[in-house]
Amino acid sequence: MYKKISVAISGGADSDDMLDICWMCDNDGKVVYVWCDTGLEYQATKDHLKYLEKKYGIEIIRTKAIKPIPLSCREYGQPFLSKRVADYISRLQSHGFDFRDGGYNELAKQYPKAKGALKWWCNEFGEGSSFNIQRNKWLKEFMIANPPTFKISDKCCKYAKKDVMKKYIKENPVDLHMVGVRKAEGGQRATAYKSCFDQNIDGHDNYRPLFWYKDEDKDAYEKARNIIHSKCYTEYGLKRTGCAGCPFGKDFEMELEIIEKNEPKLFKAVNNIFGDSYAYTRKYKKFCEEMDVKYGSYAAYLSQKCE
Ligand code: SF4
């Protein structure tokens, strides 16, 4: 029997459903609700937290980022494309790599401390591996032609999100921690887990009550329980919430349009923080289009290269 249970609240749609489930089951008042303020949150999310507190008669504990996103981006670098890509680039940058072409053995001799990231750069993880740079078409060719002139990193997630909840749990021990991850949402976050439950990880159990919910299950639950989501969904038309304008988001351009229209101050802030990454991503996308026209396709280019 658990004595203290923490529930990670994000203000997003899945989190709303999880909160509702936990609130209904919490007959003994063992649950604490915790939200991490990354420093780059929609006003609509902050308003929604107040709505949830009022609706359920609960307190949502606000925790601060260990390093807010703006600070972390300044110190370590900006997110670019995906967590994996940003991590490898950051490792190469930290060893002064000049983003040139070359064989793995030759480069590894010159940068012996960057061997792992060089394996990514040189496609040494094996044919078709998702760990190779080839997984992102034209990225290597683009970076050789346009080496990044700003720091790239995935660290803001660590200091503004991941480690924040860990720190909270360390300071306020719980037996069970819950998050609103769903397998059907896909992506690295969902595929990191095999099931809805892990026993005794970091001194507590972890439960993901929505893990097996498909989109239609979620819709049915929300209808039955009259769940109302934040204005991010109902007025802005966003499909997901979270850090505003994160460059890892595939639809960040669409998100930026929405932010500019609905939260102009936030629009200014995200452009100040992630501006280099947005510009570099746009340049990369344009490069992809041009190379596709020139070579027909990336696959055609690769087979030509092998001949
Ligand atoms: S989701 Fe994006 S902006 Fe938010 S902490 Fe992670 S990398 Fe940074």
Side-chain angles (χ1 to χ4, degrees):
M1 184 80 92
Y2 296 110
K3 291 195 179 75
K4 197 170 172 193
I5 300 163
S6 55
V7 175
I9 299 298
S10 68
D14 291 349
S15 156
D16 286 346
D17 299 352
M18 178 175 64
L19 194 163
D20 191 72
I21 294 168
C22 293
W23 179 79
M24 279 200 295
C25 299
D26 186 26
N27 296 327
D28 304 316
K30 293 178 181 179
V31 174
V32 285
Y33 302 93
V34 188
W35 176 73
C36 298
D37 184 352
T38 59
L40 214 48
E41 301 287 342
Y42 289 97
Q43 186 55 46
T45 299
K46 294 180 191 167
D47 294 345
H48 189 61
L49 295 181
K50 286 190 192 145
Y51 159 81
L52 293 171
E53 289 184 315
K54 206 166 162 207
K55 175 179 176 183
Y56 293 102
I58 56 169
E59 184 201 355
I60 298 175
I61 297 164
R62 274 81 163 163
T63 55
K64 288 261 176 250
I66 295 170
K67 274 185 193 168
I69 293 170
L71 183 62
S72 173
C73 285
R74 224 177 301 136
E75 225 172 295
Y76 306 104
Q78 299 171 33
F80 168 65
L81 272 191
S82 72
K83 280 188 191 177
R84 185 173 292 155
V85 166
D87 178 36
Y88 282 134
I89 296 176
S90 143
R91 288 201 244 163
L92 291 174
Q93 285 184 320
S94 71
H95 294 291
F97 183 59
D98 55 2
F99 297 93
R100 67 184 156 86
D101 206 359
Y104 174 75
N105 291 336
E106 176 223 329
L107 293 175
K109 220 180 255 172
Q110 198 181 339
Y111 301 96
K113 293 196 172 145
K115 283 184 182 162
L118 283 173
K119 272 178 106 175
W120 167 74
W121 179 254
C122 298
N123 294 302
E124 284 289 319
F125 280 107
E127 186 84 31
S129 167
S130 61
F131 289 96
N132 289 336
I133 191 170
Q134 256 173 23
R135 179 77 177 198
N136 295 88
K137 71 171 189 174
W138 302 118
L139 182 58
K140 182 167 178 170
E141 294 71 17
F142 170 72
M143 293 188 78
I144 291 170
N146 306 277
T149 53
F150 64 103
K151 280 194 287 180
I152 290 174
S153 167
D154 66 335
K155 286 279 188 308
C156 65
C157 249
K158 179 172 166 66
Y159 295 118
K161 280 185 164 179
K162 262 167 109 182
D163 287 4
V164 183
M165 197 52 82
K166 278 192 195 159
K167 182 171 176 266
Y168 174 84
I169 292 174
K170 201 170 167 201
E171 290 167 357
N172 304 273
V174 297
D175 319 287
L176 179 70
H177 181 61
M178 293 199 208
V179 287
V181 180
R182 283 189 310 123
K183 190 174 166 61
E185 83 193 44
Q188 248 181 303
R189 194 171 101 101
T191 48
Y193 306 109
K194 296 273 171 288
S195 82
C196 61
F197 186 76
D198 300 309
Q199 203 161 19
N200 199 19
I201 301 281
D202 298 331
H204 57 80
D205 293 347
N206 286 287
Y207 180 44
R208 298 169 279 278
L210 305 183
F211 193 70
W212 302 111
Y213 277 45
K214 298 206 178 76
D215 290 351
E216 53 269 34
D217 303 323
K218 216 171 91 71
D219 289 347
Y221 183 87
E222 289 170 359
K223 227 178 243 165
R225 290 287 303 154
N226 191 26
I227 305 286
I228 295 170
H229 297 312
S230 89
K231 276 194 279 182
C232 284
Y233 301 89
T234 58
E235 286 185 19
Y236 299 179
L238 286 164
K239 297 266 178 292
R240 55 153 225 120
T241 58
C243 304
C246 174
F248 285 156
K250 284 199 175 48
D251 294 328
F252 80 83
E253 297 283 19
M254 188 262 292
E255 212 175 298
L256 284 178
E257 275 176 34
I258 290 176
I259 300 171
E260 185 175 22
K261 191 171 155 214
N262 296 283
E263 302 209 5
K265 274 191 199 154
L266 193 56
F267 180 73
K268 213 171 156 197
V270 295
N271 275 290
N272 277 334
I273 299 162
F274 302 132
D276 295 326
S277 179
Y278 294 154
Y280 200 51
T281 309
R282 285 172 189 139
K283 202 169 176 181
Y284 167 52
K285 286 191 174 159
K286 193 160 175 270
F287 183 87
C288 290
E289 283 168 17
E290 288 166 0
M291 292 298 265
D292 279 344
V293 170
K294 192 169 170 189
Y295 290 94
S297 70
Y298 189 48
Y301 167 79
L302 290 179
S303 65
Q304 251 183 53
K305 218 178 149 194
C306 290
E307 279 164 11

